[in-house]
Amino acid sequence: MSTGSGADSAPAPTTHDSPPAPDAPRRSSMFGALKVRNYRLFFGGQVVSNIGTWMQRIAQDWLVLSLTGSATAVGVTTALQFLPMLLFGLYGGVLVDRLPKRRTLLGTQSAMAVTGVALALLTLSGHVEVWHVYVAAFAVGLATVLDNPARQSFVSEMVGPEQLQNAVSLNAANFQSARLVGPAVAGLMITGVGTGWAFLFNGLSFVAPIAGLLLMRARELHVVQRAPRGKGQLREGLRYVAGRPDLTWTIVLVGFVGTFGFNFPVYLSAFADDVFHAGAGSYSLFNTLMAVGSVAGALLAARRGTARMRVLIAAAVAFGVMELVAAVAPSLWLFALFMAPIGMFGMTINVTANTSIQMGTDPAMRGRVMALYMMVFLGGSPVGAPIAGWITDAYGVRAGLAVGGAIAALAAAAIGLVLARVGNLRLAVGWRRGHPTVRFEPRGRRQELAAAA
């Protein structure tokens, strides 16, 4: 069995991480990345761990609410879990670029396992207090500072550039599928045997990804050269992104969509309770349909072999438009009907942005760039949620959802035009094989075709 030290001391083979042409047409099997043994081990471990993660989220909120009776305390718990990423995310990216990815993941996954088991023991013994949950949430957040960019970057080392988008898409489908299973299992477990057992399941679930990491074959990894220790590496990473308009504007777009368009805990609960007066069952239905759409979006993305910028822009515009239309839906069932496509387009944004950034980034910079991406993506909700809440309280939830959708759609359209200008492209509207087409093409292309004719 290959150990962590074996993986990280192996000589680095010739890297295969040079990004392909961004618009090279290529299709792949929906589950092509699973042909890679190392990725199969990783994927299988994540199936178990993701279910445990969703169980802990539900159990954690329920426990805090039971201990305090305060929704504010639940919000504090969530904030503490995201705070380390906002404060230290970029520094985590610097460390990930220096450290061996597999060994880093072994450390972070072990730390999360210990946190889950400790919280389980406190709860099952009857000694748990709310500050224990706060400390556990903050500890998980600290581990995430390294775990998130390391896990994102390690995907390319397992599968190489040819299967990168497929692997990222399957990871997203894995996580969203667990979102369908984890909360349901947590609800049954909390009702049947108590909150502490849900924490224990989460702690023990990390055995699966840790075992998968240990069983990987080091010689089959697409190892890249790690960044050496040095001063100014954080500024170097920021300068690198600033000098790459494709990376900069992709991250900006994700920031707009994440901040203003992804505030579903605020919107969906208010639609279920205040608009349709249907209670918790409808709220659960909305979330379930959105998760189903997200899984479908991830699997469809898995069939695309490349991450095209026009797909990202189109998905973001469609996502915003769908939110605008859903905001004026007159009935509960019509509103629910829009949840699946909103989830599908939202997941397309996530997968396409993630893949395009990874494929377009120098491997030595990937940890820092992915840390910035995840910081913007995850950090948008704590900023946008209070704004969405204020608009909802002041003008109604329909106005809140409509404003979020409008900002997402307008930001996507504006960034699409900026990228077209940077790339010296023009919008071309035409007709091909009996269907209307809208695409960007190089300026002067029409004159060249006319001259050739």
Side-chain angles (χ1 to χ4, degrees), residues 60-70 74 195:
Q60 179 177 275
D61 291 348
W62 185 261
L63 177 61
V64 171
L65 195 61
S66 301
L67 291 172
T68 66
S70 168
V74 177
T195 308

Side-chain angles (χ1 to χ4, degrees), residues 266-315:
V266 176
Y267 298 140
L268 299 187
S269 58
F271 265 96
D273 192 37
D274 300 335
V275 177
F276 300 121
H277 309 290
S282 297
Y283 178 58
S284 175
L285 173 66
F286 297 156
N287 279 284
T288 299
L289 290 173
M290 188 171 292
V292 169
S294 298
V295 172
L299 292 176
L300 288 173
R303 289 189 61 83
R304 291 192 295 271
T306 55
R308 300 186 179 189
M309 188 59 65
R310 67 190 185 196
V311 173
L312 175 61
I313 299 297

